[in-house]
Amino acid sequence: DAGLGVLDSVGNPVLDDRWKVQLERYLEVEGLGAPHILGLLREKDVLWFGSFEGVWRVSPDGVRRWGRENGLPSNQTHALIRDRRGALWAATERGLARLDGEHFVTWEEGPMAQRQWFVEAHRDSRGVVWFGSWGGGVLGFDGEAWTALDSRDGLLDDRIYAVQERGDGALVFGG
C-alpha cells in the first residue's frame, strides 16, 4: 500500500501529515478506498475536493463527505468554488449545487442549471462564478443573474473544460 497522496501541479504535497492521517483513518473506518480526486479547493485550514464519491472536506478537525444523500444532484463532483458571498458551489455531472449549512441544495434557476454536466468552476476578479460544461457552453452567476454562453455566442466549442482570466480581465474559455 503506497498510501494516500495529493499533489499540486508541480508535485508538491497538498495534504500535510496531520490531514493525511485523518483522511486515511476516516477511509479505513468507513471502508472506503482512496477517492479519485476530480477537483480541489484549498482554503486556509481546509481542503475541499470533489470525487466520484461526492464532496469531501478535510481539516485539522476531521473529515466529512457529502453525497447524493446530502442533496448533491450527483456524487460525481468535478469542481468546487466559493462565490463572492462565501457560498460553496459544487459542479457535478448532473447540475450545480450550493452548500446550505449541512446539505447541498440543487440549483434549479437560470439557464442550463439542472441539465448540464459541469466540469469546471472559476471566479473572476469581479466575483462572477463561471461554470464550464460538457456540451452546454459556460454559465456565469454574479450572485443575482445568470449568463449563458455557447457556440451560438461565439465560443469555439460547447465543451468548456477550463476558464481563466487574463491580466486585462478578459476571460478565456478552453474546450
Side-chain angles (χ1 to χ4, degrees):
D1 185 330
L4 178 68
V6 180
L7 306 176
D8 65 15
S9 63
V10 293
N12 297 315
V14 173
L15 291 176
D16 67 28
D17 286 340
R18 66 187 168 157
W19 292 9
K20 182 178 173 185
V21 168
Q22 284 188 334
L23 183 55
E24 287 174 339
R25 187 176 303 131
Y26 177 86
L27 294 172
E28 183 178 333
V29 168
E30 294 296 320
L32 300 171
H36 183 101
I37 295 174
L38 301 172
L40 289 169
L41 174 63
R42 176 106 189 239
E43 297 176 324
K44 183 179 177 191
D45 289 327
V46 177
L47 178 69
W48 294 88
F49 61 88
S51 72
F52 288 116
E53 296 83 18
V55 173
W56 299 73
R57 179 184 182 272
V58 182
S59 74
D61 298 327
V63 178
R64 169 88 194 263
R65 186 191 73 81
W66 288 263
R68 290 190 65 210
E69 67 276 10
N70 306 107
L72 283 174
S74 167
N75 280 345
Q76 190 169 335
T77 304
H78 289 268
L80 298 159
I81 193 82
R82 289 222 184 254
D83 66 21
R84 70 171 110 198
R85 294 180 179 139
L88 181 74
W89 289 81
T92 80
E93 72 169 340
R94 293 202 180 136
L96 301 173
R98 186 185 70 223
L99 185 61
D100 186 14
E102 294 296 312
H103 290 81
F104 276 90
V105 176
T106 300
W107 200 259
E108 298 176 351
E109 295 178 23
M112 303 189 306
Q114 182 59 30
R115 38 180 217 281
Q116 293 299 313
W117 185 337
F118 291 95
V119 296
E120 168 68 330
H122 174 80
R123 188 178 70 218
D124 69 20
S125 60
R126 297 170 315 192
V128 177
V129 179
W130 295 93
F131 299 98
S133 74
W134 175 271
V138 67
L139 182 64
F141 183 60
D142 67 4
E144 296 178 21
W146 292 92
T147 301
L149 301 171
D150 60 26
S151 57
R152 295 170 295 191
D153 300 301
L155 293 180
L156 297 178
D157 196 329
D158 286 335
R159 291 171 293 189
I160 303 298
Y161 307 119
V163 180
Q164 293 295 313
E165 186 171 7
R166 297 189 329 201
D168 65 0
L171 293 172
V172 178
F173 302 110

